[in-house]
Amino acid sequence: MQTLYSVNRFSPALEIWFCESCGLQQNRTLPADLSTLYDEGYYTGTASYTYEDERKQEEANDIVWQARLRTIARSKPAPARFLDVGCSFGGFVAAAERAGYTATGLDLSAFAVKEGKKRGRNLIQGFVEPQTFAPESFDIVSLIEVMEHLPDPKEAARTLSGWLRPGGLAVIQTANFDGRQARRQGSNYHYYLPGHLYYYSARNLKNLLRQAGFSRFRLYRPVDFSLKAKLQKMRKQAEPESVSAGRLLRTSFYHIQGWISMKDFALTSSMVLYAFK
């Protein structure tokens, strides 16, 4: 590994290293305890590093959750056992339950799990490590913007494979750092964040999963649901008059750019990888 960037918009700056042979990037600026990144302030916007409070947007998010579940169902229809890793408050878990799956959520954040349980959702606070679940407990495991948060990629891949039954499916959404978007923006790319520990390409993510026992892959760019669902979500998140035509056009253009690709390269850096055990 050698130094690639210093991302100076954070304090302390993020030191990004990369592997010359596989292209995997690593953020080497870490807190002593990763769980401190995901306390209440992370979800409510009061910490220096934050995420959206999904509780306020579940009706809008459910549009893309249901669209994604329809894509998943083409390969693994309900009934089946479903695990959402990095489940936050469990909105996607609830969506999977409504779609007929037996769904469980796993998250590192004790706060998010506690709040999600108040809504009657089957959530567990814990780590992506083999002992969290028995072998072959699930047919589907989803990690939506989560793989980059995990501190040991090889261990995570082996764990996911172990949790899945033969023929099982892992759904992984993360950024493709072979995409032109990430390459052009360099250290200014928005995906460089304190809680993002590893940065993948389609190529090295597939290689990592292959070594862990996955044998077949399907790559979606930019995402595994339609532009229509994305635009419907945007309109639901805000008052219709506040969603300008320009914003809708920019979103549409980005989505369409994601279709322009060759092998593991694409114009944008959004991707969702379906990996089959």
Side-chain angles (χ1 to χ4, degrees), residues 26-34 151 194 196-197:
Q26 181 184 10
N27 172 10
R28 292 200 168 186
T29 306
L30 303 176
D33 181 1
L34 289 175
H196 290 186
L197 312 182

Side-chain angles (χ1 to χ4, degrees), residues 153-171:
K154 289 184 178 180
E155 174 70 9
R158 287 192 295 264
T159 299
L160 297 175
S161 179
W163 288 346
L164 283 169
R165 295 170 179 168
L169 167 65
V171 177

Side-chain angles (χ1 to χ4, degrees), residues 37-56 88-89 109 111-112 115 119:
L37 291 172
Y38 309 111
D39 59 10
E40 183 173 355
Y42 174 71
Y43 298 96
T44 58
T46 57
S48 57
Y49 168 55
T50 63
Y51 179 64
E52 70 170 329
D53 189 337
E54 286 187 353
R55 293 171 295 182
K56 298 178 181 179
S88 184
F89 303 105
S109 171
F111 169 75
E115 292 299 305
R119 299 184 174 205

Side-chain angles (χ1 to χ4, degrees), residues 240-265:
E241 59 270 19
S242 69
V243 182
S244 67
R247 185 181 171 201
L248 293 174
L249 284 172
R250 287 192 298 273
T251 299
S252 300
F253 182 64
Y254 180 88
H255 190 96
I256 292 167
Q257 275 188 308
W259 300 339
I260 302 172
S261 60
M262 185 173 63
K263 296 184 178 180
D264 293 325
F265 170 80

